[in-house]
Amino acid sequence: MTQDHTLDEIVPSFKSESKRLIKLFIPIILGQLAQTAMSVADTIMAGWAGVADLSGVAIGGSFFWPALFFLIGLSFAIQPTLSQLRGKNDLKSIDKTIFTAFTVCISTSLFIGLIIYFSPLIYNYTDNVDKDMLVIAKGYLHAVALGAPGFALFNVLRSYSEGMGNTLPTFIFGFIALILNIPLNYIFIFGKFGIPAFGGIGCGIATTITVYITCILFFIYIQKAKFYKDIRVLRRIHKVSFKDIKEYLHIGLPLGLSATIEVSCFSLVAFLLSPFGKEIVGAHSIALTLSGLLYVVPMSFATCSTIRVGEAMGTLHWNRALRTVKTSFIIGSIIYITLFVSVLIFKDNIISLFTKDDVVKEIAGVLVLLCCTYMLPDTIQVIAIGILRGFKDSRTIFMVTILSYWIIAMPIGYTLAYGLILDEPLKASGFWIGFICGLSTATLVYTSRLYFLFKYKKLPKAMMKA
């Protein structure tokens, strides 16, 4: 049992907490939407180049996105750590904390880059898959593999800024990346200004160039902006011990693995659906892209919950943290209703942006409806994850991710997709039904965990070591 610092605790009203969360949320969501729009732009512009290009980028993404999200998840340990350090006014530890995170994330990204680069070798063991689609996928993966260190640095800088309570740079540099990515896509996909037409492979080339330019600008901003004048990170080299790395990985590794497991399930479906034909893969790619675009809204809000809960728990202000939790779920409900209604109204228009193929449109229409159902448990569970990150409870997040995705979602999805129980294979629809089942389970477990933490006020082990 931990000490409860209630004497000096000031609990904000619902209105006050809502304003604080929304103030953090708006720059994050705008920045995240801009970054996600890069993926949407890749899918749309690759689709303009042809069905094989669209499907090739989708298949390549089935390997790239899980690897990238491992790096993103690894950097998630920064936000709650800095929020808690700020909560207890321990600013001196921030510089070394960021350098440790930088060391771990950049070192890991070199290894991840190699995995991405050589992952197309698995295609040598596939049969009955469109060869043109695989050529695009291979070239795309080779291109984005070179950008792995850039992705790692960008997410360290972003998590540092958000952990410090400054979410505006997430918007600024997310938007800059989008502005750079679209014309670069146009140049490398369709071959402009003397550059050869790479088709879908050009998406990967444009993405890698974009991330390095954005990283350089982001780093300069952090070194010059007045907000960071008292703590200029990554200006000097710190001695990083094995203990420092171990402590960081104790929080970051489960978050990285959780993010990879989650994304790999969605991405792996594109690979498992490839025997059903490029129309099925293309339709799944559309639904998955839409789902990813919608997902960033509650995910961005979850980051705000992480920051606010982390600040409160830095001084063990349980009641203030509980106010954040309740407010987060209320606003989360509003987010879900808004997204649900918007997708239902504009479903056909959205699908038409991605493809002109009538067969793909019909299949995608069904998958988008399933996506609407899937959004409800997804919104609840992702906000719960954000709150648990504020507690540094990454172990619970990791365990529940394995349970919900690999033990429930994928087996159910595969069984339904390939018709192992039903007479008629449900194909892509089967996998989306499996995801709905898995996320509903995660929602139940996460909310139960939060109830336990606040009822007994017992900190997770990661916080007790801090």
Side-chain angles (χ1 to χ4, degrees):
M1 191 65 68
T2 59
Q3 185 179 357
D4 189 3
H5 296 188
T6 57
L7 295 178
D8 58 343
E9 182 174 7
I10 299 175
V11 180
S13 65
F14 170 77
K15 182 178 179 180
S16 177
E17 184 64 21
S18 297
K19 287 182 177 179
R20 293 178 184 180
L21 285 167
I22 292 172
K23 184 178 180 180
L24 292 170
F25 172 66
I26 291 176
I28 292 179
I29 184 56
L30 292 176
Q32 288 285 8
L33 286 174
Q35 290 180 49
T36 305
M38 288 176 56
S39 175
V40 175
D42 285 351
T43 304
I44 292 175
M45 297 178 81
W48 290 345
V51 175
D53 293 273
L54 171 64
S55 302
V57 171
I59 294 294
S62 69
F63 291 92
F64 168 60
W65 288 109
L68 174 59
F69 267 79
F70 179 80
L71 295 176
I72 294 174
L74 199 62
S75 71
F76 278 165
I78 297 172
Q79 297 162 349
T81 301
L82 295 196
S83 294
Q84 290 187 13
L85 288 174
R86 289 194 304 112
K88 56 188 177 183
N89 201 32
D90 184 9
L91 302 183
K92 294 182 180 179
S93 301
I94 290 177
D95 190 22
K96 185 177 180 181
T97 297
I98 294 302
F99 188 81
T100 301
F102 170 81
T103 302
V104 172
C105 291
I106 293 297
S107 300
T108 304
S109 72
L110 298 175
F111 178 68
I112 294 296
L114 288 175
I115 293 177
I116 295 172
Y117 190 88
F118 289 106
S119 60
L121 292 175
I122 197 172
Y123 297 146
N124 296 333
Y125 302 96
T126 58
D127 298 317
N128 303 320
V129 180
D130 187 276
K131 299 301 180 183
D132 292 335
M133 182 171 64
L134 293 185
V135 169
I136 297 296
K138 181 178 180 180
Y140 173 82
L141 286 168
H142 284 170
V144 295
L146 299 177
F151 286 110
L153 177 57
F154 179 84
N155 282 287
V156 168
L157 296 176
R158 186 188 70 179
S159 295
Y160 159 67
S161 187
E162 291 174 355
M164 292 296 292
N166 184 14
T167 58
L168 183 60
T170 299
F171 162 64
I172 294 173
F173 295 100
F175 189 69
I176 288 174
L178 177 62
I179 292 175
L180 290 170
N181 185 249
I182 292 177
L184 287 173
N185 264 349
Y186 179 71
I187 292 170
F188 287 100
I189 292 175
F190 302 106
K192 303 298 177 181
F193 306 108
I195 302 295
F198 289 97
I201 297 173
C203 293
I205 298 172
T207 297
T208 293
I209 294 174
T210 296
V211 73
Y212 281 114
I213 294 175
T214 308
C215 274
I216 293 171
L217 296 176
F218 203 159
F219 182 79
I220 293 172
Y221 173 83
I222 284 178
Q223 299 306 321
K224 298 294 184 181
K226 291 182 179 180
F227 182 87
Y228 310 98
K229 64 180 180 179
D230 296 327
I231 307 173
R232 301 288 189 190
V233 297
L234 300 181
R235 284 194 169 188
R236 63 192 184 97
I237 297 175
H238 292 268
K239 182 179 180 181
V240 179
S241 65
F242 177 76
K243 180 182 178 182
D244 295 328
I245 295 174
K246 183 179 179 181
E247 288 178 353
Y248 184 85
L249 290 176
H250 183 74
I251 303 171
L253 187 58
L255 294 176
L257 291 173
S258 298
T260 300
I261 290 170
E262 180 177 352
V263 177
S264 66
C265 286
F266 289 97
S267 300
L268 181 60
V269 169
F271 182 75
L272 293 175
L273 288 174
S274 56
F276 292 116
K278 55 189 177 184
E279 288 80 12
I280 294 290
V281 174
H284 170 71
S285 176
I286 292 171
L288 185 60
T289 301
L290 175 61
S291 172
L293 182 60
L294 297 174
Y295 174 75
V296 300
V297 184
M299 183 187 73
S300 298
F301 191 76
T303 298
C304 305
S305 301
T306 299
I307 295 169
R308 291 293 293 160
V309 169
E311 291 172 353
M313 296 312 299
T315 47
L316 299 182
H317 284 176
W318 287 92
N319 293 325
R320 184 152 62 96
L322 183 59
R323 174 66 73 191
T324 297
V325 171
K326 292 179 178 179
T327 306
S328 295
F329 281 122
I330 291 173
I331 297 178
S333 300
I334 297 172
I335 289 173
Y336 167 71
I337 294 171
T338 303
L339 294 178
F340 178 82
V341 173
S342 299
V343 172
L344 285 184
I345 293 174
F346 299 107
K347 176 175 68 71
D348 295 335
N349 304 84
I350 293 170
I351 295 172
S352 296
L353 290 174
F354 293 92
T355 183
K356 297 178 181 178
D357 189 294
D358 291 334
V359 175
V360 176
K361 283 183 179 180
E362 182 179 355
I363 299 170
V366 176
L367 298 183
V368 169
L369 290 176
L370 288 172
C371 179
C372 290
T373 304
Y374 151 90
M375 282 192 298
L376 177 58
D378 190 36
T379 299
I380 298 173
Q381 68 100 24
V382 75
I383 291 176
I385 287 174
I387 295 166
L388 290 173
R389 283 207 309 264
F391 280 93
K392 297 184 178 180
D393 195 8
S394 56
R395 184 170 177 267
T396 295
I397 296 171
F398 175 64
M399 294 173 62
V400 175
T401 301
I402 293 177
L403 168 68
S404 58
Y405 285 98
W406 284 111
I407 298 179
I408 296 176
M410 287 303 287
I412 291 176
Y414 187 88
T415 299
L416 295 175
Y418 280 82
L420 302 183
I421 295 179
L422 303 177
D423 294 333
E424 185 71 20
L426 296 182
K427 301 178 182 177
S429 296
F431 280 109
W432 281 89
I433 292 172
F435 289 140
I436 293 170
C437 295
L439 289 180
S440 297
T441 303
T443 295
L444 178 62
V445 178
Y446 284 137
T447 52
S448 298
R449 174 62 170 170
L450 289 174
Y451 176 80
F452 172 83
L453 289 177
F454 281 97
K455 181 177 180 179
Y456 296 102
K457 296 184 178 180
K458 185 175 181 180
L459 295 174
K461 290 182 180 180
M463 272 196 68
M464 295 176 70
K465 293 179 180 180

